[in-house]
Amino acid sequence: MSRYITRLRMRRAYKWNGRPVSKDRKLKRQYYESMSISVEGKTEDVTVSLGQYILIEGDDDDNPFVAQLLKLYTDDSGKKKTAVVQWFVRMCEVPQNKRKLLGRDPHPQEIFFYQDRSCDNEVDGETILGAVQIEYVPVEDPFPKGKSKGILFVKLLWDTKSFRALNPELMQPPQSSKSPPPSSHGTQTRALPTPDLSVMKRAMSGILTRGSMSTGKMSSSEAESLHSASKLSAAKALSAKRRSRAVSGPHVRKKLDLCSPSKNMTRDDVLGEILDEHTEKTLTSKLNTSPTGRISISIRLTRLNLNEEECVSPLSSHSPDKPRLTAYDKDDATRARTPSRRKDALREPALAALAEEEHEYSPVQTAATPCSKRKSAQLESSRIRKQLNLLGNTVDLQSDGEDGDDDDCFVPAKIDLQSSSDEEEEAKIDSEDELIVKKRRGSGTSRSTEKTRVSARTPRKTPSKKTAPATPRTPRHATPSIPSRSAPAKKPGNVLEEARVSCQKLQETTVLLVDELDLLWTRKQNVMYNLFDWPTRRNARLVVLTIANTMDLPERIMINRVASRLGLTRMSFQPYTFKQLQQIITSRLNRVKAFEEDALQLVSRKVAALSGDARRCLDICRRATEICEHSGSQKNSSGLVGMSHVMEALDEMFSSSYIAAIRCASVQEQLFLRAVIAEFRRLGLEEATFQQVFVQHQALCRVEGLQPVNVSEGLTVCQRLGSCRLLLLEGSRLDLFLRIRLNVSQDDVLFALKAD
Amino acid sequence: VCTGQVWMCVLMLCDCVCVQAQKLLRERLCHQKLPDQPVGLDSQYKHMLELLRRTAVHGESNSVLIVGPRGSGKTMLLGCVLRELMSLREVQKNVLLVELNGLLQTDDKIALKEITRQLHLENVVGDKVFGSFAENLAFLLEALKKGDKSSSRPVLFVLDEFDLFAHHKNQTLLYNLLDVSQSAQTPVAVVGLTCRLDVLELLEKRVKSRFSHRQIHLFSSLSFSQYVDVVRAQLSLPPDFPDPKFSDEWNHSKLCDDKTVEEILRRNFNGSKDFRSLHSLLFLAVSRVSVSHSTLREADLIEACRLISADSKANVLHGLSILELCLIIAMKHLNDTYDGEPFNFQMAFEHLLQLELVRPVDSGVCKVQREYQLMRLMLEHGQVMEALQKYPQCPTDVKQWALSAFG
């Protein structure tokens, strides 16, 4: 699971050392040689300078990213510090399935020179943690022994496909003449003093990437190769894993940031492809006309499903990078299921019914349900359409649906599609992709697994601060960060505004997903107002997606100014039809033959007729398998869950308990109920006072030949019925004048009483 | 002197034995000890045990509601199930039990604190500030994981007076607990105990959808003969009682076969089938056992029944002065003549007012002069008459007046 945001973090302050060494007028940049980092609570500052090896903050505090510092610069505002680096990878960042390629066990302190031209090498300067010592060890030499743990060794080069011997020249800092010898380690092995051309070029490319808008010099082919594969695919799996543990704090993401006009052609092609896959083809034309089309990837996978793999894999063949992704998905899938797997291990092999029960119940994840898929496509198309048409500005989507209708469930699937298409796109062309997904849940359930999934698909990008998802409990808490006790909480509005501004600074498109919207309701509706107001602002780059289970939520609770800011896209989720329910069960069963066909149909038809709640449907199946399991041990030949079991489960869940309760009530209680009905009939009203009923009760007692009860006993009987809610009563202090109403229909009562 | 001492000894011995017997029975009736096996709830017991075993041993999440009227044995059933469950060794050291009561944990904050306390996590939580309830709960559950992801400890949540939790704001606690039980996180079992049959209607839609809709209904379908058997079992002394002769004599008394006793029991059975009212009846009877009469006799039960079924307000009437009684009678007549219409008094009758035998009609709007405030009589016709009959030294003319048809 995740670490918690509440954990205290050290604050670091970053400062340039000395004056800028050079200046680029065109790019408005000032280059520096070194930077000092002062950590709160420590007296000594750490200085990092060009050529030195550094640690960069990642998702995993124990294994930060390693890189060599190539360049340091600031933009003209002087606020944003950027570093250009050469990456190194740890073994754990290499994808699982490629680790074997090494052919031996890696040394615990071993790292690899990372050669992947597609990987972005610009990071936010403020993610640098400090310096680290790296030693080059020639391929044939053994690893030196007895060195301190802090030293890392580099022997080989990893180019995302294979391990190769590393030319020590590559380790050479590009501008050795300028860079002062690293302060912390003098013994560094550095073979050649001359700058290496290829490294220089690589170092420069990062800058060019950023500058390509203004310079426009870069050939499209070069740019393409730079961005074709998503960065550090190797690290994807790792970063997912890391994130599953570490959630809080700024995450490292490597950003692919390019908005070059020369790419329009390619983008259109690929979008066309996507649309073929997922949406209407007609969109393509619209895409072509959009001047500042911007595609956002939003990656949030709440739940995992098997179908999902299928929808990813066809796409994944586009780039050499992709197979890894799918491989990882599988990995993730198995991992996500472990809680239920554990049961397998623990449980002795049992009936087929049992096994199936687990599949079906392991509540892990909702498959991309039929309905969801349809919605996903719809949603995606509308998203793209809107984004491109409305100058890349905004969409508000609101989805309403019954609970258990999967209005929740569809989202992951949808975003998944989106992400898969976008990833493909990312692979094929270089469009600007960015994402932040923040999830807010009204009443707040943070599912731990969610976090894992988010990261599962989030490619590692340029380090930048990412607001950690928080789950608000009240509208007041619907703020991005959690105030610590020491620092007084800011006003929610301000915090939200700040978060928004900071997102904007990052030039990212943000998808804001708000679940259980109705719980964010406040009297002044400030939270909702702000929420829907942001996307309407200029340059907001925000998609607000809200989920609620009330169909007419906007009409019912929103005041005009909020309602008018709401986008027009509203998607209502009808209760599932029986076909869809059937499909859901089948997909959950995962091809295990456990139910008779008729039984399945009965369940889904029954539920569809009542509520269409998918959860309820699965619960019934679960109960039916339990019943089957118990009866099956005696005789049952087929071992399948049959009609009788399902019927029994249905009866259990849907039968009203009132009648049973009345039948089992004591004689006096039954008499009292009868008296209530008699009194109602006499009065012609549905309400009577205790005194009136009591008179009837005593008369009935005499008729039945029982000793009449006194008032105290009568009241006791009355209160007991009231506590079961067979009767609705006023406060007992009213005594004789307490008013009585029936909570069951008179017919039910009479039916129950007549039967015995 | 010698015979006197022997007599004393015999008396003390007898005293001792009978006090012992009394003590034993009173404990049985009062302490609500769990029975060895729940009576008449076998199927529910099995179902419940299986359900909790799945959570405790296999790590399957579950949620279930036990519904039944007061005194129907919900807590007893759960107690028995937990006793058996905890006797398994693997369960004992693995499962965590959290018990909450709707009457004590009146809001979610308190409930969360209590959960933290019962999970012994106060030191882990420390003075962290959590943004939301869900986060806090997730943190707690996370803290329970034993190192590796797949083996977190199952937690059983028992929510007594479940319906009261539904009145918490936004039902956050229920939403989160049930949500955890629906998704594959820490294995939890949520067991709710309630006497409200309509408890599901109290749940919000999103909460309801997350509940598994398993309900175990406890309605006693006891017949009268079974009921008498229970009485017999409750009153008999155990075989390991120190004085076998006494216990033999006690156990063989034909108390339950007596006609009047049976009538009393039937009356009680008709009133309610639950054992709590039976226990209070038997308790009163057993308390009357003393040295002078060392066995339980029918007279004891009759007296106990009289005490229990006595009308509380009729008792109060017995303590009134003649003058006050006159007032009551006057009011009774007024009630009869005007068919329950409210009336007023120009007289002082604070005492009656204090006893709540009469009560002012709530007049929300304007202040009426005190003398003219409308009053209601809180007594039934029969109650007054009965009290009058029993009233010691009641003047006959008052009685006459009460009986007469006109005021």
Side-chain angles (χ1 to χ4, degrees), chain A residues 232-248:
Chain A
L232 202 53
S233 40
K236 235 187 229 171
L238 164 75
S239 101
K241 212 171 280 168
R242 282 177 175 174
R243 264 167 232 221
S244 66
R245 271 174 286 155
V247 150
S248 58

Side-chain angles (χ1 to χ4, degrees), chain A residues 180-231:
Chain A
S183 52
S184 56
H185 36 84
T187 55
Q188 193 96 19
T189 14
R190 213 169 278 139
L192 293 170
T194 45
D196 184 279
L197 247 181
S198 68
V199 178
M200 285 288 282
K201 190 177 165 197
R202 197 174 306 118
M204 287 306 290
S205 64
I207 300 162
L208 284 174
T209 311
R210 261 209 183 274
S212 59
M213 271 281 260
S214 47
T215 57
K217 281 178 196 155
M218 215 195 285
S219 76
S220 69
S221 68
E222 185 179 350
E224 172 126 0
S225 67
L226 261 168
H227 298 272
S228 64
S230 59
K231 137 72 184 159

Side-chain angles (χ1 to χ4, degrees), chain A residues 90-362:
Chain A
R90 293 170 193 268
M91 195 56 175
C92 50
E93 295 171 55
V94 176
Q96 283 277 1
N97 53 353
K98 302 250 170 136
R99 292 186 190 172
K100 290 193 295 285
L101 294 176
L102 184 58
R104 59 175 166 86
D105 285 339
H107 189 269
Q109 281 150 265
E110 186 173 8
I111 54 168
F112 306 95
F113 188 90
Y114 187 70
Q115 195 173 52
D116 179 3
R117 286 155 58 83
S118 66
C119 168
D120 186 30
N121 53 6
E122 258 179 68
V123 297
D124 184 345
E126 307 211 338
T127 55
I128 298 176
L129 293 172
V132 68
Q133 195 173 339
I134 297 184
E135 266 182 39
Y136 171 73
V137 183
V139 182
E140 55 279 359
D141 291 5
F143 287 101
K145 288 195 178 125
K147 294 278 181 120
S148 97
K149 292 250 166 180
I151 303 176
L152 299 170
F153 303 109
V154 59
K155 207 175 204 177
L156 298 172
L157 173 149
W158 169 246
D159 64 357
T160 75
K161 291 191 189 74
S162 60
F163 291 99
R164 286 189 285 127
L166 170 63
N167 179 1
E169 286 172 29
L170 289 174
M171 298 262 296
Q172 186 56 35
Q175 299 151 324
S176 61
S177 56
K178 274 186 184 174
S179 71
S183 52
S184 56
H185 36 84
T187 55
Q188 193 96 19
T189 14
R190 213 169 278 139
L192 293 170
T194 45
D196 184 279
L197 247 181
S198 68
V199 178
M200 285 288 282
K201 190 177 165 197
R202 197 174 306 118
M204 287 306 290
S205 64
I207 300 162
L208 284 174
T209 311
R210 261 209 183 274
S212 59
M213 271 281 260
S214 47
T215 57
K217 281 178 196 155
M218 215 195 285
S219 76
S220 69
S221 68
E222 185 179 350
E224 172 126 0
S225 67
L226 261 168
H227 298 272
S228 64
S230 59
K231 137 72 184 159
L232 202 53
S233 40
K236 235 187 229 171
L238 164 75
S239 101
K241 212 171 280 168
R242 282 177 175 174
R243 264 167 232 221
S244 66
R245 271 174 286 155
V247 150
S248 58
H251 294 295
V252 173
R253 277 178 303 145
K254 298 188 180 152
K255 192 163 82 179
L256 294 163
D257 189 354
L258 193 67
C259 231
S260 130
S262 59
K263 309 264 147 39
N264 273 349
M265 277 307 289
T266 14
R267 179 191 293 129
D268 290 343
D269 292 346
V270 174
L271 270 178
E273 253 182 77
I274 304 162
L275 296 171
D276 283 343
E277 300 259 0
H278 301 293
T279 59
E280 315 91 79
K281 285 185 183 169
T282 52
L283 272 180
T284 337
S285 57
K286 288 187 182 170
L287 292 173
N288 286 332
T289 60
S290 90
T292 58
R294 207 174 258 279
I295 307 292
S296 79
I297 322 181
S298 71
I299 292 163
R300 168 183 163 273
L301 233 194
T302 322
R303 294 132 196 231
L304 193 91
N305 44 55
L306 299 164
N307 300 11
E308 165 206 324
E309 275 169 37
E310 288 156 24
C311 44
V312 175
S313 32
L315 301 172
S316 34
S317 53
H318 288 304
S319 90
D321 220 14
K322 288 299 160 179
R324 227 178 301 115
L325 178 65
T326 26
Y328 175 63
D329 280 346
K330 274 175 196 146
D331 183 0
D332 190 45
T334 45
R335 207 151 45 81
R337 275 203 303 264
T338 37
S340 57
R341 288 282 138 251
R342 182 168 77 99
K343 291 170 223 154
D344 288 339
L346 282 168
R347 199 179 277 194
E348 67 276 15
L351 306 162
L354 250 167
E356 143 270 338
E357 188 180 337
E358 265 156 20
H359 283 298
E360 164 207 336
Y361 197 67
S362 60

Side-chain angles (χ1 to χ4, degrees), chain A residues 306-307 367-369 582-591:
Chain A
L306 299 164
N307 300 11
T369 52
Q582 211 171 342
Q583 226 174 320
I584 290 169
I585 303 177
T586 329
S587 74
R588 285 293 195 94
L589 284 174
N590 202 13
R591 281 182 290 269

Side-chain angles (χ1 to χ4, degrees), chain B residues 319-337:
Chain B
L320 296 183
S321 71
I322 298 292
L323 185 66
E324 286 163 335
L325 205 62
C326 288
L327 266 177
I328 295 284
I329 294 164
M331 284 188 272
K332 178 186 94 71
H333 285 306
L334 275 174
N335 250 351
D336 290 347
T337 357

Side-chain angles (χ1 to χ4, degrees), chain A residues 6 342-343 347 357 363 403 441 444-445 471 516 615-616 622 626 629 666 707 710 720 733 735, chain B residues 54 58 60-61 129 132 134 142 150 175-176 179 182 206 209 213-214 267 271-272 309 313 359:
Chain A
T6 44
R342 182 168 77 99
K343 291 170 223 154
R347 199 179 277 194
E357 188 180 337
D403 257 314
R441 208 168 235 253
T445 342
T471 42
E516 309 287 12
R615 287 197 192 98
R616 177 77 74 96
R622 192 183 177 201
E626 279 176 23
E629 188 185 335
S666 71
Q707 195 183 349
N710 59 32
R720 204 171 310 124
R733 200 165 172 271
D735 203 22
Chain B
R54 275 166 183 270
H58 304 309
E60 258 178 59
S61 289
V129 181
S132 79
E142 156 78 355
S150 59
Y175 178 85
N176 283 293
D179 196 58
Q182 277 282 329
R206 56 181 144 241
S209 167
H213 285 265
R214 285 164 198 267
R267 190 183 146 93
S272 83
S309 59
K313 272 197 217 151
R359 178 189 290 175

